[in-house]
Every structure is written in C-alpha cells, then in structure tokens.
Amino acid sequence: MNLQQPSGRIIASLELQISHVQKNGTNYSEIEDNVVVKALIFNPSIKKGLTLVKTHANDTDTYSGENETRLDDTETSIYLPPEVIEEARKYKTNNRGIPISFVIYKNASLFGTDTGMNLMEEIAKMSSHIISSEVISVNVDGGPMENLTPPVILRFFLPEKDKVCDQPLCVYYVPNGTDNGIWSTDGCLTSTEKNLTVCKCDHLSSFTVLMGVQLSPGLDHVMKLVTWIGSSLSILGLTICTLSFVLVKALRVKQSAQIHFNLCISLIAFYVTFLALDWATQDPNHCKWISSAIQYFCLVAVSWMTVEAVNMYFLFVKYERSNIPHFLPVSLALAYGM
C-alpha cells in the first residue's frame, strides 16, 4: 500500500482489501500498533446482537447476545443490535454468511477534514475541539444501515481528563466525495458513565469522540488582556513611526521611507481589525467581513516586506537604486491590489 497517497484513499484501500478477504468466506483478524482489524462472517440465521470489545491490553473479542456485553477493562467497544443483523439479512440473495468488519484506528490522522467546512452548530459554539479517542469503523454487508432502532452503542474510554478539557461530543465521519470529509453529530447522542463516553447512533459509520478544550475564565481573561496590551503597544509604536515619516521631510522623500510608511499602515490596519474581531463574533456577517479584512491586511503586510527585501537587494547588492521603472507605483499596485 502506498502510504504517500491521500488519506481517504488509504482508508478506502484498506476497506477494499478486507472486503476481498471476506468474499472468500473466512474470518480475519489483525492487531497492529495503530490499527485493529476484525473481519467476521456470521451465520445469517442468528437473531442476536453483537458486541465487539477492545480492552486496555489491546485484546479484542466479540460477544453475541440480545443485550450489550460490558467489561470492566473496556477501552473501546461497539454494540450492534439484532436489528442490524435483521436488516443485513433482507439483502442476502444466498445462504452465505453475513460479512461484518470492524476497524479501530489508534488516532484520526487518516481522516482528513475540509478546513472550509464547519461542524454542526453545537460544535461551533465551543472554543476548540480535539479528537480524544480512537476511531472505530464498522461495515455490514447489506443495504444502508440508517434510522436504526434501537441504536448502535459505542463506548470510548477516555483517560483522566485534564481540567481544561470538557464537553465530549460523539461524531461520525462523512466523506465528501474527495479525499477529505467532515465530522458530524447527526443521529448521535452523547452521554458519560464514569470514565467512558457513550455514543448512541442510529446508523453505521466511522465514529469517535471530540473533546472541547476551553480555557478557565481567569486564564482566558489574562490572555485577552495580554493580547490587547501587546497589540495596543504595537499600534502606538507604528503610529509614531508613521507620523515621523509624514512630518519629517527628509524621511518622506526617500523611497525606503515610503516603503516603511506603507508597511506601517498595513500593520496598523491588521492590528485594528484583529482587535475588532472580539466585537464581531456575535454576528456571522460581521465576523466574515472582519476575518476577510484580517487576511487581506496580513497579505498586504507580507507584500510590503517583500518589496522592502527587493529594495534592499538593489541598494546593498546591486549598489544602485531600483532599476525597475516606476518601482514604487508598481509596488503599490501589487501590494494593495493582490
């Protein structure tokens, strides 16, 4: 398998290989450091549910029964209710067994996400989220496993939570047709039992737990205060530099001073819009425009830094003024018009 290929293709390739093994009618199990695979063939006549349990010792086992099997040393588990087996049986055209495969990924590094796509609204309300558990994926040969009643039950063991971590949220992976996708909460309910996060979902997919990371109110206030003081001092210093270039004629006529002037203006605009973001978070439209302004002025500042580097190259390497005709007007057009 080529590990340099996009992550979505790696997952698809793994699932395809598991499917090929199951077509031979044989069970397959593999335990590695970063992934656990359990591919099983079940008799279509069974009418009980199925529980897969992975323990802290990295051992896996399956249990058949009407109700979920629970162990004290569970690290990750998934319970498929009898309705899943019944639904798969409807699509069987022969008497062969029902292939069911479980894949447990140690982390979510193979599940790429689109940075331009947001999670659900409840996730957006939180300050930040990290994937704090393993990812468990289940595939059952048959029709679409949706709107299941009772739901699939997943249990994820989470280590003793850090004080800044809170708000676990059960999510599943939704591919978008390319090599990436998004994590969604549709059809999943989240609850906690001691150190286990319990997910109840009405469909099959790849599941994990997002953990909200929030700063304590005191620390959050201190960081905001430091940000405001630092940014305000930067604006003050840049304003003094800008006034110097404007009021001192000897500086104003120099090309390097004019470049510095524009760099200071772009940095002042960047810091002002950055501080204004605090007031814009309550309105999506304001937030969008302020964020766009921050991005724009950041690019403008970088452009003027590049102009300054080119100007210094001509002064100190070429030992001459810029030999580019209309250097400053061209720089103005490129920096502000990009």
Side-chain angles (χ1 to χ4, degrees):
M1 183 185 301
N2 181 13
L3 295 181
Q4 299 300 318
Q5 59 185 318
S7 57
R9 298 179 186 176
I10 296 177
I11 296 174
S13 177
L14 175 60
E15 292 178 350
L16 182 60
Q17 292 181 36
I18 296 173
S19 176
H20 287 330
V21 171
Q22 290 182 310
K23 286 181 179 179
N24 296 328
T26 57
N27 294 333
Y28 174 77
S29 180
E30 184 74 26
I31 299 177
E32 299 293 341
D33 292 338
N34 294 319
V35 65
V36 174
V37 177
K38 195 89 170 181
L40 306 172
I41 305 295
F42 291 90
N43 191 316
S45 63
I46 65 171
K47 297 182 179 181
K48 297 181 179 181
L50 180 68
T51 304
L52 171 77
V53 176
K54 175 177 175 290
T55 65
H56 293 288
N58 217 32
D59 296 326
T60 62
D61 206 347
T62 54
Y63 303 88
S64 180
E66 293 292 338
N67 299 313
E68 176 190 12
T69 301
R70 300 173 60 178
L71 303 180
D72 293 336
D73 58 344
T74 296
E75 182 173 21
T76 306
S77 70
I78 181 170
Y79 168 68
L80 303 181
E83 284 70 17
V84 172
I85 308 299
E86 180 64 29
E87 191 70 22
R89 191 183 300 115
K90 293 179 182 179
Y91 294 88
K92 294 297 294 181
T93 57
N94 50 50
N95 293 325
R96 294 182 180 179
I98 300 175
I100 302 178
S101 63
F102 304 90
V103 182
I104 301 176
Y105 301 90
K106 190 67 176 179
N107 55 63
S109 59
L110 292 179
F111 294 83
T113 56
D114 288 329
T115 55
M117 302 182 72
N118 296 323
L119 297 176
M120 308 308 293
E121 290 183 2
E122 56 266 37
I123 302 179
K125 294 177 182 177
M126 302 180 191
S127 59
S128 180
H129 280 78
I130 57 173
I131 294 177
S132 59
S133 71
E134 298 175 321
V135 178
I136 182 166
S137 177
V138 57
N139 287 288
V140 178
D141 188 25
M145 299 294 174
E146 300 175 346
N147 302 316
L148 297 173
T149 304
V152 175
I153 301 176
L154 302 102
R155 297 181 183 272
F156 296 92
F157 169 82
L158 300 179
E160 194 65 31
K161 296 185 292 185
D162 195 278
K163 292 183 179 180
V164 299
C165 293
D166 201 359
Q167 300 172 318
L169 198 62
C170 297
V171 294
Y172 70 98
Y173 191 69
V174 184
N176 64 359
T178 62
D179 296 316
N180 292 321
I182 61 172
W183 293 103
S184 174
T185 60
D186 285 346
C188 289
L189 298 177
T190 307
S191 61
T192 56
E193 295 179 9
K194 296 181 180 180
N195 56 357
L196 290 174
T197 297
V198 182
C199 304
K200 296 182 179 180
C201 302
D202 63 0
H203 56 277
L204 299 183
S205 182
S206 298
F207 303 92
T208 189
V209 174
L210 292 182
M211 184 67 73
V213 180
Q214 294 186 329
L215 298 175
S216 63
L219 183 58
D220 186 43
H221 177 72
V222 170
M223 294 190 66
K224 283 187 176 180
L225 184 62
V226 170
T227 299
W228 271 88
I229 292 175
S231 299
S232 299
L233 290 175
S234 297
I235 292 173
L236 177 62
L238 291 166
T239 301
I240 293 173
C241 290
T242 302
L243 292 175
S244 300
F245 294 135
V246 172
L247 299 177
V248 181
K249 185 177 180 180
L251 294 176
R252 190 167 62 240
V253 297
K254 293 182 178 180
Q255 178 172 281
S256 58
Q258 295 172 7
I259 296 174
H260 292 153
F261 172 80
N262 283 279
L263 176 59
C264 290
I265 291 295
S266 61
L267 287 174
I268 290 173
F270 169 76
Y271 282 116
V272 170
T273 52
F274 176 73
L275 294 178
L277 190 60
D278 274 349
W279 290 297
T281 53
Q282 302 302 321
D283 189 313
N285 290 326
H286 292 168
C287 185
K288 178 178 66 176
W289 287 109
I290 292 295
S291 299
S292 299
I294 292 174
Q295 177 74 9
Y296 171 74
F297 287 118
C298 180
L299 293 175
V300 170
V302 171
S303 298
W304 280 113
M305 293 177 189
T306 304
V307 171
E308 175 66 18
V310 174
N311 186 62
M312 292 177 66
Y313 170 79
F314 283 116
L315 287 177
F316 300 118
V317 178
K318 294 291 187 179
Y319 301 103
E320 61 184 26
R321 291 185 179 275
S322 171
N323 57 6
I324 300 177
H326 310 295
F327 179 76
L328 197 58
V330 171
S331 299
L332 283 166
L334 291 177
Y336 291 111
M338 62 180 304

